[in-house]
Amino acid sequence: MQHLPNLLSLFRIIAAPVLLVLAWYRLEDWWLILLVCSLISDIADGLLARYFNWSTPLGARLDSLGDMATYFVVPVCAWWLFPHLIIQERLFVAIVVLAYSAPVIASLAKFKRIMSYHTLSAKAAAVIMGVSILLAFTTNITWPFRIAAVIQLLVAAEYLLITKAL
């Protein structure tokens, strides 16, 4: 049972290329279902690991890989499935892509590997972003995504400052 958080993270890693395939074939409903499952598993793995004291360095690494896999395939999938939304929200999409990419690039440049700090602000921002993109994809309501983009930019600034300080 103690490996459940790792299995949930592994699920997200495996789900990422499946999300790409579903989006490529325009299977929007299936794509949304898998995305929701992926987002829920992201919340569940951390909660289980902390609650039952099942946290491990491997688990943290798998969680980070699952996060990155999801964060980098969703914009591509969104472009294929919802191009009108991406065009309409291009400024905020660009902010989000920059906010996710800049800390990764900075950590690679400084440490030659991807760092993941698992801050409370990042966890909160991930939940807000997940809810906001699902709302945008299912209802075309985009103002929460705009707020989430700004929050993600603040998290990126925090990550960059942590990277600089280390």
Side-chain angles (χ1 to χ4, degrees), residues 81-141:
L81 292 170
F82 311 101
H84 62 284
L85 276 176
I86 302 303
I87 292 167
Q88 174 189 313
E89 300 300 322
R90 63 188 168 272
L91 172 62
F92 295 96
V93 170
I95 289 170
V96 170
V97 170
L98 174 70
Y100 282 126
S101 301
V104 170
I105 293 166
S107 71
L108 284 172
K110 185 166 184 175
F111 303 115
K112 308 293 185 253
R113 67 188 189 108
I114 297 170
M115 301 298 291
S116 181
Y117 305 118
H118 295 277
T119 62
L120 186 58
S121 62
K123 293 175 192 323
V127 171
I128 294 166
M129 183 61 69
V131 170
S132 73
I133 64 169
L134 289 173
L135 193 60
F137 295 155
T138 58
T139 67
N140 288 326
I141 297 172

Side-chain angles (χ1 to χ4, degrees), residues 2 10 50 67 74 114 124 129 141-142 164:
Q2 66 206 31
L10 190 58
R50 282 186 298 281
D67 291 346
V74 167
I114 297 170
M129 183 61 69
I141 297 172
T142 57
K164 184 177 186 214

Side-chain angles (χ1 to χ4, degrees), residues 5-14 42 45-46 49-50 54-71 103-104 107-108 111-118 123 159:
N6 293 358
L7 292 173
L8 289 171
S9 294
L10 190 58
F11 164 75
R12 287 198 333 277
I13 294 167
I14 294 168
D42 186 22
D45 74 347
R50 282 186 298 281
W54 292 339
S55 298
T56 64
L58 174 63
R61 199 88 175 123
L62 288 172
D63 181 53
S64 296
L65 288 172
D67 291 346
M68 281 190 1
T70 304
Y71 298 160
V104 170
S107 71
L108 284 172
F111 303 115
K112 308 293 185 253
R113 67 188 189 108
I114 297 170
M115 301 298 291
S116 181
Y117 305 118
H118 295 277
K123 293 175 192 323
Y159 269 37

